[in-house]
Amino acid sequence: MSLLSDLINLDLSESTQKIIAEYVWIGGSGMDIRSKGRTLPGPVNDPAKLPKWNYDGSSTGQAPGEDSEVILYPQAIFKDPFRRGNNILVMCDAYTPAGEPIPTNKRYSAAKIFSSPEVVAEEPWYGIEQEYTLLQKEVNWPIGWPIGGYPGPQGPYYCGAGADKAFGRDIVNSHYKACLYAGINISGINGEVMPGQWEFQVGPAVGISAGDEVWMARYILERITEIAGVVLSFDPKPIQGDWNGAGAHSNYSTKSMRSDGGFDVIKKAIEKLKLRHKDHIAAYGEGNERRLTGKHETADINTFSWGVANRGASVRVGRDTEKAGKGYFEDRRPASNMDPYVVTSMIAETTIVWKP
């Protein structure tokens, strides 16, 4: 008698060349990640060779019921850590049957910015620090917290170890390995300041691939928390009071910034970000005003600031960058629920293309 786990882990290559491709896309809320699987005749490693597909947009808040068909365009392929073998995960974006990007397709506009000659020449690199909170399923309260109550104050939990400090490490480590298996350039993980909150980092990634990889890493994390029976939250301030919020700090550099004399380029770029502060804040995630209060390692949402090694600033420059006279900087304003396509392309557009 086969166990369910035996069937889930069946190696298809023993009996067929066919593979399963799980098509992944972003739903109407901008944060709901959807997916469905289809059978393909054999292995595929080029998204251009994958068939387009469709889905019912009226069920995702992306199309009316009387004209509900939305078309999926495959854009990036990752190995499937759940089915393994030659099976794949496919990051897609969404279009009308006439070939127009639907309003929630933020990848389309980002790809246009990243393909512009000015941006291509500067080779923008990104490192995204994605923070998130794990919640108890039945009560939507952080794991490890007493139901209806609070743990001890912040301090021992950041990068902590121990049953009274680190909650959910099995989920975090499973996600870390699954992302590496998938081909995502995940560069690290750590426990965050608020207990039950964690972070993973994606990067360095170039251009549009940063958005693809962060979205797929989010999808894989959703699947793992599903298996674990835990709720995943990207709320930028899941618990009110004297608790840290959740951000998606975005580290960034261009070829000019990484070259000799790059610190001057960085300072000019930061000045541009200051001039467009309100525009960026408006695009950096819903509910960010609850997080960017000037407390808990944040700058006030209404005031742009920058500094070297200052985690209370809007933009932080590292000591190593200052010492070397070149390198990267960190935009600390994006919320944990930001769209990485929007944030990465907007930073590139403001610092490379936009003229004050």
Side-chain angles (χ1 to χ4, degrees), residues 30 70 105 162 207 217 233:
V70 180
N105 181 351
S233 172

Side-chain angles (χ1 to χ4, degrees), residues 1-12 82-83:
M1 176 72 71
S2 292
L3 298 174
L4 187 60
S5 59
D6 295 332
L7 297 173
I8 290 172
N9 294 321
L10 270 179
D11 184 355
L12 296 179
F82 304 103
R83 296 186 175 110

Side-chain angles (χ1 to χ4, degrees), residues 32-347:
D32 54 319
I33 310 176
R34 313 283 181 134
S35 75
K36 59 178 183 172
R38 69 180 295 168
T39 305
L40 298 176
V44 182
N45 54 24
D46 180 356
K49 295 180 179 178
L50 287 168
K52 294 174 184 175
W53 206 6
N54 65 76
Y55 66 92
D56 172 16
S58 69
S59 295
T60 63
Q62 293 171 296
E66 64 273 13
D67 187 15
S68 65
E69 191 168 284
V70 180
I71 312 302
L72 291 171
Y73 286 31
Q75 299 291 358
I77 291 175
F78 300 88
K79 293 177 66 178
D80 187 340
F82 304 103
R83 296 186 175 110
R84 288 172 280 187
N86 289 321
N87 303 298
I88 55 175
L89 303 175
V90 184
M91 194 68 220
C92 304
D93 59 354
Y95 297 78
T96 68
E100 296 295 323
I102 65 173
T104 54
N105 181 351
K106 306 303 183 185
R107 190 188 192 279
Y108 178 81
S109 297
K112 286 178 66 175
I113 291 170
F114 283 122
S115 63
S116 68
E118 296 161 281
V119 176
V120 170
E122 280 291 353
E123 298 176 12
W125 291 5
Y126 297 91
I128 309 298
E129 303 172 28
Q130 177 68 71
E131 296 176 347
Y132 60 92
T133 309
L134 299 174
L135 305 176
Q136 301 171 56
K137 183 180 177 183
E138 304 303 328
V139 293
N140 268 14
W141 199 239
I143 64 172
W145 291 38
I147 294 176
Y150 296 86
Q154 296 183 154
Y157 310 108
Y158 172 70
C159 298
D164 58 342
K165 304 177 195 71
F167 312 120
R169 192 183 296 277
D170 284 353
I171 291 171
V172 174
N173 282 335
S174 297
H175 178 249
Y176 197 173
K177 286 188 173 182
C179 284
L180 287 171
Y181 180 94
I184 293 167
N185 194 23
I186 185 170
S187 48
I189 54 97
N190 62 268
E192 266 306 327
V193 177
M194 189 182 87
Q197 198 170 83
W198 294 81
E199 172 184 301
F200 66 86
Q201 302 95 34
V202 169
V206 181
I208 196 69
S209 66
D212 290 337
E213 293 189 27
V214 170
W215 271 116
M216 191 55 73
R218 285 174 170 178
Y219 172 77
I220 291 172
L221 185 54
E222 286 275 18
R223 290 281 304 275
I224 291 172
T225 53
E226 172 191 324
I227 294 167
V230 170
V231 173
L232 172 62
S233 172
F234 290 112
D235 190 295
K237 186 73 173 180
I239 305 295
Q240 295 304 304
D242 195 18
W243 304 97
N244 274 36
H249 303 149
S250 299
N251 299 275
Y252 170 72
S253 70
T254 63
K255 188 175 183 180
S256 297
M257 294 174 190
R258 297 187 294 270
S259 303
D260 290 343
F263 197 28
D264 287 335
V265 180
I266 288 172
K267 286 188 283 188
K268 289 175 183 176
I270 292 173
E271 185 60 30
K272 284 186 170 185
L273 291 174
K274 178 181 179 180
L275 294 174
R276 295 190 73 190
H277 178 62
K278 288 184 178 180
D279 294 335
H280 281 256
I281 288 296
Y284 273 15
E286 295 294 324
N288 211 9
E289 71 282 351
R290 293 183 281 116
R291 168 181 161 261
L292 295 180
T293 61
K295 299 177 181 179
H296 304 109
E297 300 181 83
T298 71
D300 180 80
I301 194 169
N302 297 307
T303 306
F304 182 91
S305 60
W306 78 276
V308 176
N310 184 359
R311 282 182 163 77
S314 308
V315 170
R316 180 184 68 88
V317 176
R319 290 286 183 201
D320 288 346
T321 295
E322 180 187 46
K323 184 177 180 180
K326 58 185 176 181
Y328 70 96
F329 65 83
E330 174 192 44
D331 191 338
R332 296 180 59 81
R333 297 171 295 172
S336 50
N337 60 0
M338 63 82 162
D339 187 322
Y341 293 135
V342 173
V343 169
T344 56
S345 62
M346 194 172 192
I347 292 173

